[in-house]
Amino acid sequence: MEYTVQKLGRLAGISTRTLRYYDEIGILKPARINSSGYRIYGQAEVDRLQQILFYRELGVSLEQIKEIVTSPRFDAAAALKEHHARLLEKRKQLDALIANVEKTIAASEGRTKMTDQEKFEGFKRKLVDDNERKYGKEVREKYGDEAVDRSNENFKNMTPEQYEELSRLSEEVLSTLAEAFKQGDPAGELAQKAADLHRQWLTYFWKEYSKEAHAGVAQLYVDDERFKAYYDRDQPGTAEFLRDAIHIYTGHKS
């Protein structure tokens, strides 16, 4: 089968404008242009479009998708298995949120009772699952399955008060870090305050705190591009600054 832009758009449920844009950015080019100047798409392009839409559904950016599907090492069969696993994980997250909503409705109608902790179970589980998907492989390789599993359980079992305090600490770490970065001294009072706040934040996830592990996490923020992008999103160099401040705080020698 071959498809024009209009026919492929109808088949996939997307606009012809989207398909033309995909052509412009080089993520999905037509198989050929016919004598009338129309874009013509074949089976290979249909299969690639399906892959693109799978990745889009999973929240992957077009820039990342292009790198993936245009790579000579791209394996379509392996990608489909990955999509399947991630969609199952997404369904599990949605099932948890649906169950949470249904229980909340039952509680509001007086058919059951619901603790404050139960009201947030679905959200916390989703956050844990999202973090596991984004960073789980690297963190587990560095600290081991037992430590990561224990950290996840600690998070999911937090009381509403603990969760609120954790959220406040997280915001204070970032705001203090931003002010310290402006001063430019990782050994300064404000930078060391940010490092101490970060230690307090970590203790909500760790059974035991150690300076060595704290320094290791700080290094991971620099070594892993995703962590680095998170801290550098407002000001490039922030991840390195935080790493340096924590290394000074813990007495770690680079």
PDB file of all heavy atoms in Angstrom, residues 133-164:
ATOM      1  N   ARG A 133      11.685   4.922  35.846  1.00  0.00           N
ATOM      2  CA  ARG A 133      11.825   4.841  34.386  1.00  0.00           C
ATOM      3  C   ARG A 133      12.956   5.744  33.893  1.00  0.00           C
ATOM      4  O   ARG A 133      13.734   5.372  33.013  1.00  0.00           O
ATOM      5  CB  ARG A 133      10.503   5.240  33.714  1.00  0.00           C
ATOM      6  CG  ARG A 133      10.566   5.299  32.194  1.00  0.00           C
ATOM      7  CD  ARG A 133       9.196   5.504  31.604  1.00  0.00           C
ATOM      8  NE  ARG A 133       8.526   6.657  32.150  1.00  0.00           N
ATOM      9  CZ  ARG A 133       8.736   7.910  31.729  1.00  0.00           C
ATOM     10  NH1 ARG A 133       9.613   8.138  30.773  1.00  0.00           N
ATOM     11  NH2 ARG A 133       8.071   8.918  32.255  1.00  0.00           N
ATOM     12  N   LYS A 134      13.054   6.951  34.465  1.00  0.00           N
ATOM     13  CA  LYS A 134      14.051   7.910  33.990  1.00  0.00           C
ATOM     14  C   LYS A 134      15.465   7.598  34.483  1.00  0.00           C
ATOM     15  O   LYS A 134      16.423   7.676  33.728  1.00  0.00           O
ATOM     16  CB  LYS A 134      13.658   9.324  34.451  1.00  0.00           C
ATOM     17  CG  LYS A 134      12.414   9.876  33.796  1.00  0.00           C
ATOM     18  CD  LYS A 134      12.086  11.248  34.373  1.00  0.00           C
ATOM     19  CE  LYS A 134      10.810  11.811  33.798  1.00  0.00           C
ATOM     20  NZ  LYS A 134      10.447  13.114  34.422  1.00  0.00           N
ATOM     21  N   TYR A 135      15.572   7.285  35.790  1.00  0.00           N
ATOM     22  CA  TYR A 135      16.900   7.201  36.392  1.00  0.00           C
ATOM     23  C   TYR A 135      17.219   5.845  37.034  1.00  0.00           C
ATOM     24  O   TYR A 135      18.332   5.646  37.522  1.00  0.00           O
ATOM     25  CB  TYR A 135      17.048   8.279  37.484  1.00  0.00           C
ATOM     26  CG  TYR A 135      16.594   9.644  37.074  1.00  0.00           C
ATOM     27  CD1 TYR A 135      15.517  10.271  37.722  1.00  0.00           C
ATOM     28  CD2 TYR A 135      17.223  10.331  36.050  1.00  0.00           C
ATOM     29  CE1 TYR A 135      15.102  11.546  37.357  1.00  0.00           C
ATOM     30  CE2 TYR A 135      16.810  11.601  35.673  1.00  0.00           C
ATOM     31  CZ  TYR A 135      15.747  12.204  36.332  1.00  0.00           C
ATOM     32  OH  TYR A 135      15.348  13.459  35.960  1.00  0.00           O
ATOM     33  N   GLY A 136      16.245   4.936  37.034  1.00  0.00           N
ATOM     34  CA  GLY A 136      16.401   3.698  37.795  1.00  0.00           C
ATOM     35  C   GLY A 136      17.634   2.890  37.438  1.00  0.00           C
ATOM     36  O   GLY A 136      18.349   2.410  38.316  1.00  0.00           O
ATOM     37  N   LYS A 137      17.900   2.727  36.161  1.00  0.00           N
ATOM     38  CA  LYS A 137      19.017   1.882  35.732  1.00  0.00           C
ATOM     39  C   LYS A 137      20.339   2.385  36.300  1.00  0.00           C
ATOM     40  O   LYS A 137      21.109   1.623  36.893  1.00  0.00           O
ATOM     41  CB  LYS A 137      19.078   1.844  34.205  1.00  0.00           C
ATOM     42  CG  LYS A 137      20.166   0.938  33.643  1.00  0.00           C
ATOM     43  CD  LYS A 137      20.056   0.880  32.124  1.00  0.00           C
ATOM     44  CE  LYS A 137      21.110  -0.054  31.531  1.00  0.00           C
ATOM     45  NZ  LYS A 137      22.456   0.507  31.648  1.00  0.00           N
ATOM     46  N   GLU A 138      20.605   3.689  36.142  1.00  0.00           N
ATOM     47  CA  GLU A 138      21.867   4.257  36.591  1.00  0.00           C
ATOM     48  C   GLU A 138      21.988   4.218  38.114  1.00  0.00           C
ATOM     49  O   GLU A 138      23.037   3.871  38.665  1.00  0.00           O
ATOM     50  CB  GLU A 138      22.008   5.701  36.103  1.00  0.00           C
ATOM     51  CG  GLU A 138      22.181   5.829  34.596  1.00  0.00           C
ATOM     52  CD  GLU A 138      20.882   5.701  33.832  1.00  0.00           C
ATOM     53  OE1 GLU A 138      19.821   5.570  34.487  1.00  0.00           O
ATOM     54  OE2 GLU A 138      20.929   5.701  32.590  1.00  0.00           O
ATOM     55  N   VAL A 139      20.905   4.582  38.806  1.00  0.00           N
ATOM     56  CA  VAL A 139      20.942   4.637  40.270  1.00  0.00           C
ATOM     57  C   VAL A 139      21.101   3.237  40.855  1.00  0.00           C
ATOM     58  O   VAL A 139      21.851   3.033  41.818  1.00  0.00           O
ATOM     59  CB  VAL A 139      19.665   5.313  40.815  1.00  0.00           C
ATOM     60  CG1 VAL A 139      19.632   5.242  42.337  1.00  0.00           C
ATOM     61  CG2 VAL A 139      19.613   6.768  40.368  1.00  0.00           C
ATOM     62  N   ARG A 140      20.413   2.248  40.270  1.00  0.00           N
ATOM     63  CA  ARG A 140      20.522   0.879  40.771  1.00  0.00           C
ATOM     64  C   ARG A 140      21.932   0.316  40.536  1.00  0.00           C
ATOM     65  O   ARG A 140      22.453  -0.430  41.363  1.00  0.00           O
ATOM     66  CB  ARG A 140      19.468  -0.026  40.116  1.00  0.00           C
ATOM     67  CG  ARG A 140      18.065   0.238  40.632  1.00  0.00           C
ATOM     68  CD  ARG A 140      17.024  -0.636  39.971  1.00  0.00           C
ATOM     69  NE  ARG A 140      15.698  -0.343  40.495  1.00  0.00           N
ATOM     70  CZ  ARG A 140      15.213  -0.852  41.614  1.00  0.00           C
ATOM     71  NH1 ARG A 140      15.939  -1.728  42.303  1.00  0.00           N
ATOM     72  NH2 ARG A 140      14.012  -0.529  42.029  1.00  0.00           N
ATOM     73  N   GLU A 141      22.528   0.664  39.395  1.00  0.00           N
ATOM     74  CA  GLU A 141      23.890   0.210  39.131  1.00  0.00           C
ATOM     75  C   GLU A 141      24.864   0.784  40.151  1.00  0.00           C
ATOM     76  O   GLU A 141      25.828   0.127  40.545  1.00  0.00           O
ATOM     77  CB  GLU A 141      24.309   0.612  37.716  1.00  0.00           C
ATOM     78  CG  GLU A 141      23.655  -0.227  36.618  1.00  0.00           C
ATOM     79  CD  GLU A 141      24.029   0.244  35.230  1.00  0.00           C
ATOM     80  OE1 GLU A 141      24.711   1.300  35.120  1.00  0.00           O
ATOM     81  OE2 GLU A 141      23.641  -0.413  34.245  1.00  0.00           O
ATOM     82  N   LYS A 142      24.603   2.018  40.586  1.00  0.00           N
ATOM     83  CA  LYS A 142      25.525   2.693  41.493  1.00  0.00           C
ATOM     84  C   LYS A 142      25.313   2.289  42.950  1.00  0.00           C
ATOM     85  O   LYS A 142      26.263   2.108  43.705  1.00  0.00           O
ATOM     86  CB  LYS A 142      25.377   4.216  41.351  1.00  0.00           C
ATOM     87  CG  LYS A 142      26.456   5.017  42.077  1.00  0.00           C
ATOM     88  CD  LYS A 142      26.355   6.482  41.736  1.00  0.00           C
ATOM     89  CE  LYS A 142      27.480   7.276  42.383  1.00  0.00           C
ATOM     90  NZ  LYS A 142      28.812   6.926  41.864  1.00  0.00           N
ATOM     91  N   TYR A 143      24.030   2.121  43.376  1.00  0.00           N
ATOM     92  CA  TYR A 143      23.748   1.903  44.799  1.00  0.00           C
ATOM     93  C   TYR A 143      23.127   0.542  45.120  1.00  0.00           C
ATOM     94  O   TYR A 143      22.988   0.199  46.291  1.00  0.00           O
ATOM     95  CB  TYR A 143      22.836   3.030  45.320  1.00  0.00           C
ATOM     96  CG  TYR A 143      23.492   4.385  45.227  1.00  0.00           C
ATOM     97  CD1 TYR A 143      23.119   5.288  44.246  1.00  0.00           C
ATOM     98  CD2 TYR A 143      24.512   4.752  46.103  1.00  0.00           C
ATOM     99  CE1 TYR A 143      23.733   6.530  44.140  1.00  0.00           C
ATOM    100  CE2 TYR A 143      25.129   5.981  46.008  1.00  0.00           C
ATOM    101  CZ  TYR A 143      24.738   6.870  45.026  1.00  0.00           C
ATOM    102  OH  TYR A 143      25.355   8.085  44.927  1.00  0.00           O
ATOM    103  N   GLY A 144      22.708  -0.196  44.097  1.00  0.00           N
ATOM    104  CA  GLY A 144      22.162  -1.525  44.329  1.00  0.00           C
ATOM    105  C   GLY A 144      20.646  -1.527  44.465  1.00  0.00           C
ATOM    106  O   GLY A 144      20.032  -0.519  44.845  1.00  0.00           O
ATOM    107  N   ASP A 145      20.045  -2.682  44.148  1.00  0.00           N
ATOM    108  CA  ASP A 145      18.589  -2.802  44.164  1.00  0.00           C
ATOM    109  C   ASP A 145      18.010  -2.606  45.561  1.00  0.00           C
ATOM    110  O   ASP A 145      16.962  -1.968  45.727  1.00  0.00           O
ATOM    111  CB  ASP A 145      18.170  -4.183  43.635  1.00  0.00           C
ATOM    112  CG  ASP A 145      18.420  -4.334  42.146  1.00  0.00           C
ATOM    113  OD1 ASP A 145      18.486  -3.303  41.454  1.00  0.00           O
ATOM    114  OD2 ASP A 145      18.543  -5.473  41.673  1.00  0.00           O
ATOM    115  N   GLU A 146      18.661  -3.170  46.571  1.00  0.00           N
ATOM    116  CA  GLU A 146      18.120  -3.101  47.930  1.00  0.00           C
ATOM    117  C   GLU A 146      17.986  -1.668  48.413  1.00  0.00           C
ATOM    118  O   GLU A 146      16.940  -1.285  48.964  1.00  0.00           O
ATOM    119  CB  GLU A 146      19.019  -3.888  48.893  1.00  0.00           C
ATOM    120  CG  GLU A 146      18.465  -3.928  50.324  1.00  0.00           C
ATOM    121  CD  GLU A 146      19.361  -4.699  51.276  1.00  0.00           C
ATOM    122  OE1 GLU A 146      20.311  -5.344  50.802  1.00  0.00           O
ATOM    123  OE2 GLU A 146      19.102  -4.656  52.490  1.00  0.00           O
ATOM    124  N   ALA A 147      19.006  -0.853  48.172  1.00  0.00           N
ATOM    125  CA  ALA A 147      18.975   0.540  48.619  1.00  0.00           C
ATOM    126  C   ALA A 147      17.893   1.323  47.890  1.00  0.00           C
ATOM    127  O   ALA A 147      17.164   2.117  48.505  1.00  0.00           O
ATOM    128  CB  ALA A 147      20.336   1.193  48.403  1.00  0.00           C
ATOM    129  N   VAL A 148      17.766   1.100  46.584  1.00  0.00           N
ATOM    130  CA  VAL A 148      16.768   1.823  45.803  1.00  0.00           C
ATOM    131  C   VAL A 148      15.355   1.391  46.187  1.00  0.00           C
ATOM    132  O   VAL A 148      14.460   2.225  46.347  1.00  0.00           O
ATOM    133  CB  VAL A 148      17.010   1.615  44.288  1.00  0.00           C
ATOM    134  CG1 VAL A 148      15.891   2.270  43.474  1.00  0.00           C
ATOM    135  CG2 VAL A 148      18.361   2.200  43.883  1.00  0.00           C
ATOM    136  N   ASP A 149      15.133   0.084  46.345  1.00  0.00           N
ATOM    137  CA  ASP A 149      13.812  -0.414  46.738  1.00  0.00           C
ATOM    138  C   ASP A 149      13.402   0.136  48.103  1.00  0.00           C
ATOM    139  O   ASP A 149      12.243   0.511  48.311  1.00  0.00           O
ATOM    140  CB  ASP A 149      13.808  -1.950  46.780  1.00  0.00           C
ATOM    141  CG  ASP A 149      13.909  -2.563  45.397  1.00  0.00           C
ATOM    142  OD1 ASP A 149      13.614  -1.860  44.408  1.00  0.00           O
ATOM    143  OD2 ASP A 149      14.286  -3.752  45.301  1.00  0.00           O
ATOM    144  N   ARG A 150      14.349   0.173  49.035  1.00  0.00           N
ATOM    145  CA  ARG A 150      14.062   0.709  50.366  1.00  0.00           C
ATOM    146  C   ARG A 150      13.724   2.198  50.302  1.00  0.00           C
ATOM    147  O   ARG A 150      12.800   2.674  50.963  1.00  0.00           O
ATOM    148  CB  ARG A 150      15.259   0.480  51.292  1.00  0.00           C
ATOM    149  CG  ARG A 150      14.998   0.900  52.735  1.00  0.00           C
ATOM    150  CD  ARG A 150      16.083   0.404  53.676  1.00  0.00           C
ATOM    151  NE  ARG A 150      17.389   0.932  53.309  1.00  0.00           N
ATOM    152  CZ  ARG A 150      18.425   0.181  52.963  1.00  0.00           C
ATOM    153  NH1 ARG A 150      18.319  -1.133  52.930  1.00  0.00           N
ATOM    154  NH2 ARG A 150      19.589   0.739  52.649  1.00  0.00           N
ATOM    155  N   SER A 151      14.455   2.925  49.452  1.00  0.00           N
ATOM    156  CA  SER A 151      14.185   4.349  49.277  1.00  0.00           C
ATOM    157  C   SER A 151      12.787   4.574  48.702  1.00  0.00           C
ATOM    158  O   SER A 151      12.043   5.450  49.163  1.00  0.00           O
ATOM    159  CB  SER A 151      15.231   4.965  48.344  1.00  0.00           C
ATOM    160  OG  SER A 151      14.924   6.297  48.044  1.00  0.00           O
ATOM    161  N   ASN A 152      12.417   3.779  47.704  1.00  0.00           N
ATOM    162  CA  ASN A 152      11.085   3.903  47.105  1.00  0.00           C
ATOM    163  C   ASN A 152       9.982   3.613  48.119  1.00  0.00           C
ATOM    164  O   ASN A 152       8.952   4.301  48.154  1.00  0.00           O
ATOM    165  CB  ASN A 152      10.960   2.952  45.916  1.00  0.00           C
ATOM    166  CG  ASN A 152      11.774   3.402  44.719  1.00  0.00           C
ATOM    167  OD1 ASN A 152      12.172   4.559  44.624  1.00  0.00           O
ATOM    168  ND2 ASN A 152      12.033   2.489  43.803  1.00  0.00           N
ATOM    169  N   GLU A 153      10.180   2.586  48.936  1.00  0.00           N
ATOM    170  CA  GLU A 153       9.181   2.241  49.952  1.00  0.00           C
ATOM    171  C   GLU A 153       9.061   3.348  50.994  1.00  0.00           C
ATOM    172  O   GLU A 153       7.959   3.683  51.442  1.00  0.00           O
ATOM    173  CB  GLU A 153       9.549   0.916  50.624  1.00  0.00           C
ATOM    174  CG  GLU A 153       9.239  -0.305  49.791  1.00  0.00           C
ATOM    175  CD  GLU A 153       7.777  -0.372  49.360  1.00  0.00           C
ATOM    176  OE1 GLU A 153       6.893  -0.246  50.244  1.00  0.00           O
ATOM    177  OE2 GLU A 153       7.524  -0.521  48.164  1.00  0.00           O
ATOM    178  N   ASN A 154      10.195   3.915  51.397  1.00  0.00           N
ATOM    179  CA  ASN A 154      10.168   5.025  52.356  1.00  0.00           C
ATOM    180  C   ASN A 154       9.334   6.170  51.813  1.00  0.00           C
ATOM    181  O   ASN A 154       8.539   6.786  52.541  1.00  0.00           O
ATOM    182  CB  ASN A 154      11.589   5.517  52.644  1.00  0.00           C
ATOM    183  CG  ASN A 154      12.370   4.558  53.515  1.00  0.00           C
ATOM    184  OD1 ASN A 154      11.797   3.666  54.126  1.00  0.00           O
ATOM    185  ND2 ASN A 154      13.682   4.729  53.551  1.00  0.00           N
ATOM    186  N   PHE A 155       9.519   6.463  50.516  1.00  0.00           N
ATOM    187  CA  PHE A 155       8.783   7.568  49.906  1.00  0.00           C
ATOM    188  C   PHE A 155       7.285   7.284  49.857  1.00  0.00           C
ATOM    189  O   PHE A 155       6.461   8.122  50.220  1.00  0.00           O
ATOM    190  CB  PHE A 155       9.316   7.844  48.497  1.00  0.00           C
ATOM    191  CG  PHE A 155       8.605   8.967  47.796  1.00  0.00           C
ATOM    192  CD1 PHE A 155       8.888  10.286  48.112  1.00  0.00           C
ATOM    193  CD2 PHE A 155       7.651   8.708  46.831  1.00  0.00           C
ATOM    194  CE1 PHE A 155       8.231  11.323  47.476  1.00  0.00           C
ATOM    195  CE2 PHE A 155       6.982   9.730  46.193  1.00  0.00           C
ATOM    196  CZ  PHE A 155       7.277  11.058  46.509  1.00  0.00           C
ATOM    197  N   LYS A 156       6.930   6.060  49.420  1.00  0.00           N
ATOM    198  CA  LYS A 156       5.508   5.723  49.283  1.00  0.00           C
ATOM    199  C   LYS A 156       4.783   5.663  50.630  1.00  0.00           C
ATOM    200  O   LYS A 156       3.580   5.880  50.704  1.00  0.00           O
ATOM    201  CB  LYS A 156       5.361   4.389  48.544  1.00  0.00           C
ATOM    202  CG  LYS A 156       5.663   4.488  47.058  1.00  0.00           C
ATOM    203  CD  LYS A 156       5.301   3.249  46.283  1.00  0.00           C
ATOM    204  CE  LYS A 156       6.290   2.143  46.450  1.00  0.00           C
ATOM    205  NZ  LYS A 156       6.055   1.007  45.522  1.00  0.00           N
ATOM    206  N   ASN A 157       5.542   5.396  51.712  1.00  0.00           N
ATOM    207  CA  ASN A 157       4.932   5.283  53.037  1.00  0.00           C
ATOM    208  C   ASN A 157       4.974   6.579  53.847  1.00  0.00           C
ATOM    209  O   ASN A 157       4.632   6.577  55.026  1.00  0.00           O
ATOM    210  CB  ASN A 157       5.623   4.163  53.830  1.00  0.00           C
ATOM    211  CG  ASN A 157       5.344   2.788  53.246  1.00  0.00           C
ATOM    212  OD1 ASN A 157       4.272   2.543  52.687  1.00  0.00           O
ATOM    213  ND2 ASN A 157       6.310   1.893  53.348  1.00  0.00           N
ATOM    214  N   MET A 158       5.380   7.659  53.241  1.00  0.00           N
ATOM    215  CA  MET A 158       5.430   8.932  53.958  1.00  0.00           C
ATOM    216  C   MET A 158       4.038   9.387  54.381  1.00  0.00           C
ATOM    217  O   MET A 158       3.054   9.198  53.658  1.00  0.00           O
ATOM    218  CB  MET A 158       6.030  10.024  53.057  1.00  0.00           C
ATOM    219  CG  MET A 158       7.517   9.992  52.936  1.00  0.00           C
ATOM    220  SD  MET A 158       8.085  11.363  51.894  1.00  0.00           S
ATOM    221  CE  MET A 158       9.800  10.885  51.687  1.00  0.00           C
ATOM    222  N   THR A 159       3.976  10.025  55.531  1.00  0.00           N
ATOM    223  CA  THR A 159       2.732  10.649  55.968  1.00  0.00           C
ATOM    224  C   THR A 159       2.537  11.944  55.185  1.00  0.00           C
ATOM    225  O   THR A 159       3.498  12.478  54.609  1.00  0.00           O
ATOM    226  CB  THR A 159       2.787  10.970  57.468  1.00  0.00           C
ATOM    227  OG1 THR A 159       3.787  11.979  57.688  1.00  0.00           O
ATOM    228  CG2 THR A 159       3.102   9.731  58.290  1.00  0.00           C
ATOM    229  N   PRO A 160       1.321  12.496  55.154  1.00  0.00           N
ATOM    230  CA  PRO A 160       1.103  13.780  54.478  1.00  0.00           C
ATOM    231  C   PRO A 160       2.017  14.870  55.023  1.00  0.00           C
ATOM    232  O   PRO A 160       2.503  15.715  54.259  1.00  0.00           O
ATOM    233  CB  PRO A 160      -0.367  14.079  54.778  1.00  0.00           C
ATOM    234  CG  PRO A 160      -0.990  12.739  54.958  1.00  0.00           C
ATOM    235  CD  PRO A 160       0.060  11.903  55.635  1.00  0.00           C
ATOM    236  N   GLU A 161       2.266  14.847  56.329  1.00  0.00           N
ATOM    237  CA  GLU A 161       3.133  15.867  56.934  1.00  0.00           C
ATOM    238  C   GLU A 161       4.571  15.718  56.435  1.00  0.00           C
ATOM    239  O   GLU A 161       5.242  16.713  56.126  1.00  0.00           O
ATOM    240  CB  GLU A 161       3.096  15.750  58.461  1.00  0.00           C
ATOM    241  CG  GLU A 161       1.766  16.107  59.107  1.00  0.00           C
ATOM    242  CD  GLU A 161       0.716  15.006  58.955  1.00  0.00           C
ATOM    243  OE1 GLU A 161       1.111  13.846  58.669  1.00  0.00           O
ATOM    244  OE2 GLU A 161      -0.484  15.303  59.101  1.00  0.00           O
ATOM    245  N   GLN A 162       5.041  14.481  56.356  1.00  0.00           N
ATOM    246  CA  GLN A 162       6.398  14.242  55.860  1.00  0.00           C
ATOM    247  C   GLN A 162       6.516  14.637  54.391  1.00  0.00           C
ATOM    248  O   GLN A 162       7.519  15.223  53.977  1.00  0.00           O
ATOM    249  CB  GLN A 162       6.761  12.763  56.028  1.00  0.00           C
ATOM    250  CG  GLN A 162       7.006  12.329  57.462  1.00  0.00           C
ATOM    251  CD  GLN A 162       7.206  10.824  57.583  1.00  0.00           C
ATOM    252  OE1 GLN A 162       6.539  10.037  56.902  1.00  0.00           O
ATOM    253  NE2 GLN A 162       8.122  10.417  58.449  1.00  0.00           N
ATOM    254  N   TYR A 163       5.496  14.317  53.621  1.00  0.00           N
ATOM    255  CA  TYR A 163       5.516  14.658  52.197  1.00  0.00           C
ATOM    256  C   TYR A 163       5.537  16.173  52.006  1.00  0.00           C
ATOM    257  O   TYR A 163       6.249  16.697  51.139  1.00  0.00           O
ATOM    258  CB  TYR A 163       4.294  14.051  51.509  1.00  0.00           C
ATOM    259  CG  TYR A 163       4.278  14.237  50.009  1.00  0.00           C
ATOM    260  CD1 TYR A 163       5.117  13.488  49.188  1.00  0.00           C
ATOM    261  CD2 TYR A 163       3.421  15.154  49.410  1.00  0.00           C
ATOM    262  CE1 TYR A 163       5.112  13.655  47.817  1.00  0.00           C
ATOM    263  CE2 TYR A 163       3.403  15.324  48.041  1.00  0.00           C
ATOM    264  CZ  TYR A 163       4.252  14.572  47.250  1.00  0.00           C
ATOM    265  OH  TYR A 163       4.238  14.747  45.884  1.00  0.00           O
ATOM    266  N   GLU A 164       4.757  16.885  52.810  1.00  0.00           N
ATOM    267  CA  GLU A 164       4.728  18.341  52.737  1.00  0.00           C
ATOM    268  C   GLU A 164       6.091  18.930  53.103  1.00  0.00           C
ATOM    269  O   GLU A 164       6.576  19.854  52.447  1.00  0.00           O
ATOM    270  CB  GLU A 164       3.649  18.897  53.684  1.00  0.00           C
ATOM    271  CG  GLU A 164       3.499  20.412  53.607  1.00  0.00           C
ATOM    272  CD  GLU A 164       2.407  20.938  54.523  1.00  0.00           C
ATOM    273  OE1 GLU A 164       1.652  20.105  55.078  1.00  0.00           O
ATOM    274  OE2 GLU A 164       2.323  22.152  54.687  1.00  0.00           O
TER     275      GLU A 164
END
